[in-house]
């Protein structure tokens, strides 16, 4: 059987990912996802999408949607996503998404969908709004990916099950209608996944939980310093070369991300010989965080003020993404036998 996806004259691997337009981006999003996107754009054909339709499954009130879509675009571009290199677009601008979603829905079984972890969680959180869109969320996500016949999907661990389901639909489709779609897989750079610890020593930075323990890319300098200075410490190690408690290890972890090597080793040494003053360390970390975050925040603010620019990005992104989507759908309709003349 021919591999249609390899016959389109395109040898570059195709990368696709979606970003939900909810909440403010934080340092964990940056080091966990966006930084990877930025690196991928030089090597691959990339599609980065704002998943506005997905947000309708849980947020039917669209009053804040426009502002959220603009902000998520501005923040991602401020972090280095480049509209010249990648297709940066909104899901709702690509009409073919709805069509492929419909076809894939016929290959998705209710029982399987009901077992999805994210579905069960969301159904538990909002028992009054367990709608069919929520149930078929993974099908819509598969449509996003398959529209571009993408194979590398940079996503976090929480999305693994959705990718597994996308592969299931690929196999069912290919088996029934011919070998049209390649299997998508999660993509990570070989280095280990970076966990960005929260400032209170529990868990990682998160969009919604404990805002004081999370550094947002939109935080102003004063807020950044205040959050860092509030981070939990103690009176310091009482013997040389002691093991670091979790919350101290976390501060070092954060320092590794934004401070120079010399700075980190200065405080490592001070810890090991018990001369460390956590107040000084946090002040240094606060300053380095500000140096890291504030240029991103300023770029994002500038972009947000330039509505014309954002519009141009969305129009150009939609043009690139629909071109690829249209090519796929022509093949899909023929493969499915939906060509009557
Ligand atoms: N479900 C993803 C999330 O919650 C967002 C998303 C939508 C996505 N479509 C996608 C991710 C396609 C990767 C590929 O983060």
């Amino acid at each position: 059987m021919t591999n249609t996806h390899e016959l389109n004259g395109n040898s570059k691997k195709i990368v696709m990912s979606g970003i939900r337009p909810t909440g403010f981006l934080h340092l964990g999003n940056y080091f966990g996802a966006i930084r990877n996107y930025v690196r991928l754009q030089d090597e691959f054909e990339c599609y980065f999408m704002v998943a506005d339709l997905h947000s309708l499954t849980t947020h039917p009130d669209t009053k804040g949607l426009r502002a959220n879509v603009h902000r998520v675009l501005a923040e991602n571009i401020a972090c280095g996503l480049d509209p010249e290199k990648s297709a940066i677009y909104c899901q709702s601008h690509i009409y073919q998404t709805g069509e492929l979603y419909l076809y894939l829905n016929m290959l998705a079984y209710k029982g399987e969908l009901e077992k999805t972890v994210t579905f069960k969680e969301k159904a538990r959180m909002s028992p009054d709004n367990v709608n069919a869109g929520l149930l078929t969320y993974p099908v819509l996500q598969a449509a996003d990916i398959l529209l571009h016949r993408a194979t590398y999907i940079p996503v976090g661990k929480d999305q693994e099950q959705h990718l597994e389901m996308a592969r299931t639909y690929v196999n069912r489709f290919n088996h029934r209608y011919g070998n049209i779609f390649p299997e998508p897989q999660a993509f990570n750079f070989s280095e280990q996944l970076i966990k960005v610890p929260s400032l209170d020593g529990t868990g990682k930075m998160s969009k919604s939980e404990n805002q004081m323990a999370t550094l947002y890319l939109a935080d102003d300098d004063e807020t950044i310093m205040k959050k860092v200075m509030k981070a939990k410490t103690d009176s310091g190690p009482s013997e040389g070369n002691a093991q670091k408690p979790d919350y101290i290890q976390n501060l070092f972890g954060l320092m590794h991300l934004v401070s120079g090597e010399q700075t980190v080793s200065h405080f490592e040494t001070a810890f090991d010989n018990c001369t460390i003053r956590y107040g000084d360390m946090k002040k240094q970390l606060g300053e380095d965080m500000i140096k890291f975050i504030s240029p991103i925040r300023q770029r994002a603010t500038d972009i947000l003020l330039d509505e014309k620019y954002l519009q141009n990005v969305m129009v150009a992104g939609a043009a690139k993404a629909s071109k690829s989507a249209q090519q796929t759908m022509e093949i899909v309709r023929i493969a499915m036998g939906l060509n009557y003349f």
Side-chain angles (χ1 to χ4, degrees), residues 16-18 20 49 51 54 137 141 144-145 153 155 159 162:
M16 194 275 149
S17 197
R20 266 178 305 166
M49 178 197 85
H54 274 111
Y137 183 114
Q141 181 163 346
D144 297 332
I145 296 167
I153 319 298
V155 283
Q159 296 296 311
H162 293 170

Side-chain angles (χ1 to χ4, degrees), residues 16-22 48-62 64-66 68-69 72 89-102 105 122 129 131-145 147-148 314 321 325:
M16 194 275 149
S17 197
I19 309 151
R20 266 178 305 166
T22 49
F48 296 117
M49 178 197 85
V50 179
D52 56 340
L53 299 177
H54 274 111
S55 75
L56 295 177
T57 63
T58 47
H59 295 70
D61 181 354
T62 54
L65 192 54
R66 182 175 191 274
N68 282 339
V69 167
V72 88
Y89 64 101
C90 293
Q91 191 178 27
S92 60
H93 289 157
I94 311 303
Y95 305 129
Q96 292 84 354
T97 310
E99 184 186 354
L100 185 54
Y101 170 57
L102 181 91
N105 266 321
K122 289 174 187 167
N129 189 24
N131 60 76
L134 192 66
L135 182 68
T136 55
Y137 183 114
V139 187
L140 183 56
Q141 181 163 346
D144 297 332
I145 296 167
L147 268 182
H148 306 299
M314 285 188 267

Side-chain angles (χ1 to χ4, degrees), residues 95-149:
Y95 305 129
Q96 292 84 354
T97 310
E99 184 186 354
L100 185 54
Y101 170 57
L102 181 91
Y103 302 155
L104 294 178
N105 266 321
M106 317 303 179
L107 303 171
Y109 299 115
K110 177 170 161 280
E112 286 169 348
L113 292 164
E114 281 169 341
K115 281 193 222 139
T116 316
V117 174
T118 49
F119 171 72
K120 288 195 290 193
E121 231 170 67
K122 289 174 187 167
R124 189 166 48 78
M125 304 262 286
S126 312
D128 298 333
N129 189 24
V130 185
N131 60 76
L134 192 66
L135 182 68
T136 55
Y137 183 114
V139 187
L140 183 56
Q141 181 163 346
D144 297 332
I145 296 167
L146 302 187
L147 268 182
H148 306 299
R149 284 167 287 166

Side-chain angles (χ1 to χ4, degrees), residues 4-250:
T4 316
H5 52 270
E6 281 166 9
L7 290 179
N8 62 6
N10 189 345
S11 53
K12 259 192 182 178
K13 291 269 187 200
I14 299 175
V15 170
M16 194 275 149
S17 197
I19 309 151
R20 266 178 305 166
T22 49
F24 284 80
L25 294 184
H26 53 71
L27 217 59
N29 298 130
Y30 179 83
F31 286 105
I34 307 172
R35 193 176 59 161
N36 276 341
Y37 301 167
V38 172
R39 291 180 182 167
L40 285 163
Q41 348 177 66
D42 291 319
E43 229 179 299
F44 302 106
E45 179 178 333
C46 292
Y47 296 89
F48 296 117
M49 178 197 85
V50 179
D52 56 340
L53 299 177
H54 274 111
S55 75
L56 295 177
T57 63
T58 47
H59 295 70
D61 181 354
T62 54
K63 268 203 291 300
L65 192 54
R66 182 175 191 274
N68 282 339
V69 167
H70 283 198
R71 204 188 53 242
V72 88
L73 281 170
E75 288 188 326
N76 276 282
I77 295 168
C79 288
L81 277 202
D82 184 349
E84 303 279 323
K85 295 180 186 164
S86 305
I88 302 174
Y89 64 101
C90 293
Q91 191 178 27
S92 60
H93 289 157
I94 311 303
Y95 305 129
Q96 292 84 354
T97 310
E99 184 186 354
L100 185 54
Y101 170 57
L102 181 91
Y103 302 155
L104 294 178
N105 266 321
M106 317 303 179
L107 303 171
Y109 299 115
K110 177 170 161 280
E112 286 169 348
L113 292 164
E114 281 169 341
K115 281 193 222 139
T116 316
V117 174
T118 49
F119 171 72
K120 288 195 290 193
E121 231 170 67
K122 289 174 187 167
R124 189 166 48 78
M125 304 262 286
S126 312
D128 298 333
N129 189 24
V130 185
N131 60 76
L134 192 66
L135 182 68
T136 55
Y137 183 114
V139 187
L140 183 56
Q141 181 163 346
D144 297 332
I145 296 167
L146 302 187
L147 268 182
H148 306 299
R149 284 167 287 166
T151 51
Y152 284 177
I153 319 298
V155 283
K157 206 128 198 66
D158 63 323
Q159 296 296 311
E160 288 276 5
Q161 192 179 25
H162 293 170
L163 293 189
E164 182 66 50
M165 293 166 86
R167 285 191 288 273
T168 302
Y169 308 143
V170 162
N171 289 320
R172 284 185 193 146
F173 187 100
N174 287 352
H175 186 249
R176 181 167 294 273
Y177 300 117
N179 204 0
I180 304 297
F181 294 118
E183 282 190 9
Q185 61 185 75
F187 179 89
N188 292 311
F189 281 97
S190 51
E191 64 197 71
Q192 73 193 73
L193 267 188
I194 291 177
K195 184 184 134 195
V196 179
S198 71
L199 287 166
D200 60 2
T202 64
K204 49 182 194 163
M205 289 198 183
S206 116
K207 270 188 184 171
S208 43
E209 283 161 51
N210 196 358
Q211 307 213 336
M212 271 315 281
T214 295
L215 292 168
Y216 295 92
L217 299 179
D219 282 344
D220 61 33
D221 293 357
E222 208 183 315
T223 309
I224 297 170
M225 188 55 92
K226 204 161 86 196
K227 286 181 176 178
V228 172
M229 291 310 288
K230 271 192 155 210
K232 178 177 172 180
T233 54
D234 52 32
S235 54
S238 47
E239 58 186 68
N241 301 310
Q243 191 159 354
K244 298 187 183 81
D246 280 355
Y247 48 91
I248 297 299
Q249 185 57 51
N250 284 352

